[in-house]
Amino acid sequence: MPTDFGAPPIADENRALVEQRLQDVRAGNAVPETLRVEFRGRPIHVEVIDMPVERLYYNPATHRVSAQRAYDPVQEEALTKDHWSDAGQSYLHHLLTAMPSDPRQRDPDFDKLKESLREHRQNEPGLISREGVLVNGNTRRAALKELGVQSIRVGVLPASCTWDDILSVELSLQLRPDRRREYSYVNKLMAIEEQMSQGLPLAAIAKLFHTTTPALERDTWVLGQLRDLVKRSEHGRIKLRLMDFEDAKESFAELYRTYDKEKAKNKEAADTLLEYRLAAIVLEFAKTDIRNIRTDFREKYLERHLPEGTRTAAPEPPKAVSIPGLNRSVPAPSSETAGARALTDVLLRAKATQKSASTATAEELTAANSSLSSLREAFEESIQDADKANRDRKKRLAAPDRVNAAVRELQQCITDLVLARGNNSLDEAAFDDTLIALRQALTKVSAEASKSIQLPGEGLSWLREVVADQR
């Protein structure tokens, strides 16, 4: 996306109108309303005026709909060709009123804003350049326009304002902690990427976004994964869009943590795990289900549920992959990782076809829906099997874990006894009652464990002897 969009068609007329209204405000008897903004690294107070809603332009560079612009390729092309045309501005209006994850649907949050403006009018001014471009308040202008309100209160940036200033000011205002309507997930990731591309240090970006450096590293990793998924989904004229992953924020955050931890142990196993969890995200499983996918997922659970056409092993990968321009090579992914990646690619292409219902043919849609349905069923059955195995495993480990916890408490008890002896503070009667309760509990543990364990080891054999001696 370009960073300089030029001036709208009626820029000169807007400059004249803005200047006239600024003069009117200064000439009045009332104290002029001002708005505080960060401009070129320092706070300034800009004057607020009323402007006709119809004379203002949506900001084509707004971060609020960066990812959503790809929703309709035809309209995006018209917007890119002429950002100020009726067609381009109408498309921006639609995106500002639509759900970030599915622009086909109306955003309930927009309707809430619209109802609030209908009832309470405008509480906070927007912000414009002198040419009439909305720097802040694009969504409010869309709501006021639908309500038929004739004017909007806006602060006016200095005459020297450039497009770099517009981008910077919009970002700083939208990232204030008190903003009512945050950027969508993917748009925030893209805004972070934009700041990094400008060479800002991570610490400065973290401060701007009210986050931490580790969180930024996670977010850039996630955006890299999203861009890779979009690229891998492309086949012919069809591909996924970044906005198709708007609702997967928590799943990707958990995926990053898991992958980072597993990579430290075994990168190949981590890469394989990554592919199967990405596949589950594409299939829109909940993060609680995705947690059941571990490094042995395909071998233990998925393989037997996969449709026949997807069980074929991936071709043997090359032993190394060359890096263009460096005359060097790195090890290729293992056959297991390559197989997992091939399966994910099948899902990505099918999902892209399903999301491109207006572009794909009826035959392509039928094949994609069939593929997604069969693979989702395979994953669902496999995840259920894995979940049951994990719950059974936890049950098997529950008793040993509780005994370990009791051992740690008893070890602490030894320290407490030493301290109590030093200051003569032990309640001997209470301690004796507790030891009797311990004997009774150990007797029951011995009896129940003996019913479950046919060939007792050293520990249970000892416990049975101790209990037998007390009888």
Side-chain angles (χ1 to χ4, degrees), residues 202-312:
L202 283 181
I205 300 174
K207 183 178 180 181
L208 176 63
F209 282 81
H210 307 285
T211 186
T212 63
T213 298
L216 283 182
E217 292 171 348
R218 175 202 63 205
D219 289 342
T220 53
W221 181 88
V222 169
L223 185 58
Q225 292 297 319
L226 296 185
R227 291 199 183 282
D228 183 56
L229 292 176
V230 169
K231 182 178 179 181
R232 289 164 59 184
S233 74
E234 187 171 3
H235 57 294
R237 64 198 181 284
I238 295 171
K239 66 177 180 179
L240 286 171
R241 302 150 300 189
L242 290 174
M243 54 167 272
D244 292 323
F245 299 97
E246 283 282 11
D247 293 332
K249 176 180 179 179
E250 293 302 322
S251 294
F252 275 103
E254 191 160 307
L255 177 60
Y256 172 78
R257 290 193 296 270
T258 303
Y259 178 73
D260 195 50
K261 185 185 300 182
E262 292 295 330
K263 186 175 66 172
K265 304 175 190 174
N266 184 324
K267 187 175 185 305
E268 282 194 7
D271 287 341
T272 304
L273 174 66
L274 173 68
E275 289 298 328
Y276 288 126
R277 290 205 171 190
L278 286 173
I281 290 174
V282 173
L283 289 169
E284 299 179 9
F285 281 97
K287 66 176 183 179
T288 49
D289 291 327
I290 296 173
R291 288 173 190 158
N292 290 299
I293 298 178
R294 301 184 179 179
T295 52
D296 58 357
F297 180 67
R298 180 162 188 161
E299 177 186 356
K300 283 190 173 181
Y301 311 108
L302 182 62
E303 188 65 36
R304 63 177 176 269
H305 294 299
L306 280 174
E308 289 296 332
T310 55
R311 289 187 188 178
T312 306

Side-chain angles (χ1 to χ4, degrees), residues 17-28 30-37 44-52 56 122-128 130 136 140 151-158 173 176:
L17 180 59
V18 166
E19 186 58 36
Q20 180 60 52
R21 298 209 168 180
L22 286 173
Q23 290 179 15
D24 291 344
V25 167
R26 293 164 189 162
V31 177
E33 180 183 4
T34 60
L35 177 68
R36 184 180 183 274
V37 298
I44 64 171
H45 288 82
V46 299
E47 295 166 295
V48 174
I49 61 173
D50 282 335
M51 282 291 288
L56 301 183
Q122 188 183 353
N123 292 325
E124 185 180 351
L127 185 67
I128 63 170
R130 304 219 169 195
N136 187 41
R140 274 170 286 166
S151 64
I152 178 173
R153 286 170 38 247
V154 289
V156 181
L157 285 173
L173 285 171
R176 283 180 177 176

